[in-house]
Each structure stands twice: as structure tokens, then as C-alpha cells.
Amino acid sequence: MTQFEKLLNQVYAAWLGKLIGIRLGAPVENWTFEQIRDTYGKLDGYPVDYGVFASDDDANGPLFFVKAVERYGKNVTAEQMGETLLSVASVGHGFFWWGGIGVSTEDTAYHNLLKGIKAPTSGSIEVNGKIMAEQIGGQIFSDCWGYVSAGNAQLASDLAAKMSSVTHDGDGIEGGKFVAACIALAFKETDARTVIEKALAYLNPESDYVKCVLDVISMKDAGMSMEECRSIIFEKYSYANYPGVCHIIPNTAIMIMAMIYGDNDFSKTLTMLCECGWDTDCTCGNVGSIMGALVGIEGIDEKWIKPIDDLLISSSSIGSRNLDTVSETALYFASLAAKLNDIEIDEKYRRMIESKETISFFDLPYGNQGFQTKENRYSSVQLKTNQKSLKCIVAQGFPNKTGKIYKKTYFVPSEVYDARYQPSMSPRLYPGETVSFVLSNPHELPMKFQIYAMDVNHNMYVGEWFEAKAQKQEVSWRIDCPKDVLLCEFGLNLLYEQRIMHDFFLIHEVRTDHVFNVEIHWKDQCMEDWGLDFGEIPWKEVRQCTTLKNRSSITEKGLWIEGDGIMFSDVRAELVSAEVEVEFEGEIDIMLRAEDFRHYLGVRISKDAISFVKRDGENTDVLREFGEKKINQGKNTLNFSVKNGLINVEINHLYHYETETSLTEMKKGAFGVVCDENSRCLLYGCKLESI
């Protein structure tokens, strides 16, 4: 195993441990020990079978905050960390708990940033008060800094301190440093107590946080049983003694207890912790990370891993980033760790990271890339990762009957169990894309295969049937379907020509190329109902979009946007042309290539001017003014194309503007529209083409 492969496996185990802890604790979040005991008894698995689970704030933070080092490097500042938060979270919905200014620490700090209060002042005790600054959020989002440190606890601690300071202060920062340092140390250590004690070296020894950790350790050293220790914690570190919604100290006390009494056993540690109650998804998430790094994938029982099915649904402001896999995101974390720590990335993984395509790989245990099977009485297929491939075990297949292996590329609300954190997404697959499977059929099973895609209305689009050879072969199919359909899955149809039992074939690699040609007629879309959020308020979002302020809606004419931003299409694609039918008032930005709502290249249109603009955080630069106004106040057709370093703008097929521009700094990006606070527009339709 190469150095990078070892790193990837360590990061994967830690990240998987985090997601397991979240899924374990989410059903009983804010329950008491007595309520959990009386309802579920002793936990031995997940208390609720979530099925498809939309991850909460505990996963959103690590997954998206780490973009700060991707953009700014290891010397990133706290101010740049604050800019990252504004870039990845929408205003007032999704991502984390929006409990209100003065109630939710993150909500308060986010609005400080919007008002121009830079980090670290945005999260400081001076501005927000000690109670607000020392709630639990500073530590629940800090796992990522352990992942990208590659075992460098000082680096992990330093990065965590900067990010935690965006929203927290005091012990809120100490907790972030502690969790990040523990994960980094767990990459090299084998004992949880050793990890805890070494991590304390990176903290302020006079802090209440350190005093709490040492106090719990002293109980163990005094010979107390776990039950005695827990009883004292419940009394001494009760929520009643620590004001605020969810203070960091009580939850840290039970985290330490579980780790020092858990005998370095992943299951024992997490179930012991979850049974204590309080902020269970946060505590179990952090400890899951630490224990996952400590014991590795081999030390995690598959009963925790299999229900996750390698699937990760998030709720950032970037719709096409909100549907991913644990495997892909683990590779993302590991690649950043390699860059920050000068570790060579193997050629295979470098190809995956740098490719224009999305390449699904099966190197990681249980890493099935979200592929599933559709069982019926005539077809039974199980999927298992095996020697860097996906082993498709045909337990039962009857002649002239069919089965299928598929992957979801879009979820509608009815398919997702829990949506408290308001997930919304853009599809991961579009009309015109090419799907490629690399297969082998070692025992030459008598069966045929067919690549297919399916839309949200369950219409199926299929390629030609083919036979798989014993040796590896690649089969590709360009999705042939109407340009205006919303695709929700793709995969392989299976046709058994003879009875097959107890045998298998292999999938080695799957690719999608992000080269599409799509049309969206907005009046035909809908508002998707995701149920109730934390405030028991119904949450609806525009289908296949993410919004900045949730002020957009589908009407009988089209998509209405008022003082809002809306993003759709795939941030991984390289758009070369777009056609938009729009009616507007005020000033709007057409984002031709957007990383997020605060980083994009596009065209600004107002009643007085047409300009090519670049937004980078707070700053928007006008790179070139195209010329005099030629736009009606009524319906307009705007055409944009990017070729050979030139951007072309055509208005109503009459007026044409062209200017040189360099898009090398942002070759890829999503499409969208941003209206400033006093502007509004109606989108009738759009056509997008990528290469």
C-alpha cells in the first residue's frame, strides 16, 4: 500500500466514523439518558432505520468548510475562513441550525459576517458574549482539519482554531482544536486515552475545557466504574449548570467518558456515548471520527457501515455538490491532505481528481459509490467491493428475466427519510452525457447488459444490449433522451439468458463526462415539499435548484426570482453556450460559470449597461463593458457563448457583442442568476450546453 493509499484509507475510516455517529445520534438528539433507556433500552445498532438519510449540520460543516484550504492553502486566515462560510451556506436555510440571532451561535455569527464584521471578530466573546461563543458548534465542524492534516496535530489544531473563531470563542475554539488534534493523533496512535492526553498539549491548559477533560480522566483513575462516572457527570456537568442551547462542556465530558471507558472498541464507545443523551449526533459524530481514525475500517462493524450505502446528501448553497458519496468525498479530503503535507498522489487517484469526468472507483471497503440493486423474485443480485472492483453477485437469475443495478443522480423529497436541514440539489446527470462502464465477466455468465437512464417520471432511456467478455472491456452510451427531462438515475439492466446461481461479474469503473445539452422550461417545474424544518415550518424549494435566500418560486409563467440568487446545472461542467428567456427589472447577473454565489464569472445586465463581470467574495469587478443598452423591459432572449477565449453576447437575435476574456481561472462552474436586493426577474426557459 502506498503512502497515499494508506492516507486515503485512514481518512475514509475517520469520515465514515463521523457519518455513522451522526446517523446513530440523530434520532435521539436532545433526549435524556432516561428517555433513551426507557424507549430503546441498551443500544446495539441504529435506533431508527433512516433508509436514505440527509446528513445534518455535523456533516455539512466538515465537508464544505475544508474548501477554505482548497482555495487559500494552509496559510488561510480566519477572515478567509469567514468568507468560505458565506460562500457555502445560503442565507437563513440549509447547512446548519438557523435558530435565530442571539439564540443560534452559527446564525448569529453568519449575520455578523453579512454585516461586514470579519472573522475572528464575528464569533468573538466581545461581540456575542461568552455564553453564545462557547456553545458546541466550534467542535462539531472541526473533523475536517484532522482529515487534511495527515497526522500533523499542530496543523490540525491551527486550522481548527481559525475556523472555529469564525463562529465561536473561548472554549468553543478549544473544542475545535481538541477534536482536530485527536483525529490527527489517532492516525498514528492505537489507544484512545493516549490520543486524548496528547491532544491536550495543543490547548490552553488554563481553559475550562482542559479542566473538564482532566476531571473526567481523574474519575477513571480513581477506580470509578463507568456508571459512577456517568452519574457524577450528569450532576456536575448538567446542562442546568451551563447556559445556552447546547454548551460545549457538558457534551465534552461524556465524550471523554466514552473514549476512556470504551476499551478502544468502536461500537462500545459510540453506543455508550449515545445512551448518555444530550447532543447525541454531535458527540457521536466527533467521537466516531476519532475512533474511526484510531481503529481503521477493520475495527468498524459492518452493521454500522452498510445502511449508509456510500451515499451522502448535503445542504450547501451549491446544488450539484449536495449529492455525493462517502468514497468520493474521502478522496477529496485525502487529496487536500496530500497537497498540504507534500505527499505524492498515486497516478490513478490523480487521474480521478484532475479528470473532467466523474470517475467512480471501488477501491475502498464498502465503497459501492451509491450503486444499488433492484431485487425481484426472478433476480437477486448483491453488491460487494472486492479487490478494487464492484463484485456483482448473481445469487439468482432466471432465463429471460431481468434485474438492474442503478445509482441515483437526483432525489425527490418522498425518497429521503429526514429533511430537517433542508436539503436541495441539482442533478448529477443531464441529457446528452456519456456514461461509461468498465466491466468483466470472468466466468462468461450467459447474460446481457444494457446501459440505461431514467427520469423523475420513470421514463426509461436505453442503449443497445451487449455481452460482457471475460476480460475487462469498456462500454459507453450517450444518453439519448429529450433535452428537457430531469434524470434521476442510471445504471445497468441485466437480462439472464440461462439460469444463473451463485456466480458474479465485476464492475471496475464507471464514468460520466459532464458533456450535456439540456433545456429547462421553468413553468413545467415544481416546488418540492421537503416537509417541516426545525421550526416546524414547511420547507419548499425549486426543483433541481438551490436558492440563496429562498425567495424564488415556480409560477404559471416560469421561475420568479426576487432579491435572490438561484443556481442550477453542474458545477463540474464547462459551459460553452447558454440561452435564457428572461424578463427583468433592476440589475441581474447571469452566472455563466459559478463555484458558488460569491465566486463566479458572468454577464451583468441592467437598463443602462451590459458588462462582463467577475465576483470574488465581497468584490465584483467589471472586466469589460459590452456597449450601449439594447434590452427591452419586456421578454428578452439572451444568448451567450464562450469559444477560443472570446465571450459572445447576443440579445433578441439582433444585437451582438464580443470581447476577449480569459476563463482559465474558472474553467468549470454551474449556471445561475443573481438579482440584487432591489431587482427581480422572470425566467421562462433556458438552454445549456457544455463540453
Side-chain angles (χ1 to χ4, degrees), residues 604-673:
R604 174 164 295 175
I605 300 171
S606 69
K607 64 178 183 177
D608 300 316
I610 306 167
S611 309
F612 181 61
V613 297
K614 174 186 176 182
R615 180 167 184 181
D616 187 9
E618 296 289 342
N619 303 314
T620 303
D621 296 327
V622 176
L623 302 181
R624 181 72 178 269
E625 290 194 2
F626 284 115
E628 60 183 282
K629 180 184 80 70
K630 296 291 185 181
I631 295 190
N632 308 317
Q633 287 302 298
K635 185 176 180 180
N636 294 274
T637 301
L638 310 177
N639 291 88
F640 309 93
S641 64
V642 180
K643 289 183 180 179
N644 302 321
L646 298 176
I647 182 168
N648 296 273
V649 181
E650 186 179 87
I651 303 169
N652 296 327
H653 306 294
L654 295 174
Y655 305 102
H656 182 82
Y657 303 96
E658 181 178 273
T659 185
E660 291 185 4
T661 180
S662 172
L663 293 178
T664 55
E665 58 190 307
M666 195 179 291
K667 288 186 176 182
K668 302 176 183 179
F671 189 84
V673 177

Side-chain angles (χ1 to χ4, degrees), residues 66 90 125 161 172 556 593:
V66 79
S90 295
I125 291 174
E556 61 182 13
R593 297 196 183 164

Side-chain angles (χ1 to χ4, degrees), residues 566-584:
I566 192 156
M567 186 184 302
F568 48 96
S569 87
D570 196 337
V571 73
R572 302 166 182 80
E574 186 174 340
L575 291 175
V576 291
S577 69
E579 179 178 292
V580 182
E581 293 178 301
V582 61
E583 187 175 334
F584 74 97

